[in-house]
Amino acid sequence: MILRSAANILLIDWPDESIPKTLFAAGFNVFGYSPHQYTAAGTDGKGRLIFRPVDCLPEKIDIVNVFRPENELPGIIEKLVLPSGATNVWLQPPVTLGVKAEFASKFGLNFIEEENIAEWAARLK
């Protein structure tokens, strides 16, 4: 399972705070992306999860987790996945990438289409 060897996860959107909170609690370094800005997850001293702006991502992102509509995925791969150095792209159901074979062979990407990444992470604890 890819999560067992991962350390850094970049979230491209998420439906609610349980996703980054669960990943962070499971020991992952969690980063987020909102238009034109990267952030890193941390706590605020009272145990609440917060995201702080960062100048750049770490050298290696292990997994990019995507919670965006399918039509945005080619742009996300080009602008966020490839520059991050990630080779694993976790697509949240029901999103699938119709051209994933093309991206996989062209860029060496591994696509994971599983249930919610946080549910997998919670099982690792």
Side-chain angles (χ1 to χ4, degrees), residues 16-66:
D16 59 64
E17 77 172 30
S18 71
I19 304 300
K21 187 180 267 187
T22 301
L23 292 170
F24 186 76
F28 295 100
N29 299 313
V30 179
F31 300 89
Y33 179 80
S34 57
H36 313 293
Q37 182 176 341
Y38 290 104
T39 56
T43 56
D44 69 353
K46 296 181 182 176
R48 293 181 294 215
L49 186 72
I50 59 171
F51 279 85
R52 292 184 174 90
V54 293
D55 294 331
C56 61
L57 289 173
E59 284 187 30
K60 179 80 168 95
I61 292 291
D62 301 300
I63 300 172
V64 176
N65 184 242
V66 181

Side-chain angles (χ1 to χ4, degrees), residues 86-107:
T87 55
N88 299 299
V89 181
W90 194 299
L91 302 174
Q92 294 301 146
V95 174
T96 59
L97 181 56
V99 294
K100 72 179 174 190
E102 174 189 337
F103 284 106
S105 65
K106 187 174 181 181
F107 300 113

Side-chain angles (χ1 to χ4, degrees), residues 12-13 66-74 76 91 95-97:
I12 309 299
D13 208 357
V66 181
F67 279 94
R68 298 299 304 158
E70 187 170 341
N71 65 327
E72 294 180 22
L73 290 174
I76 289 169
L91 302 174
V95 174
T96 59
L97 181 56

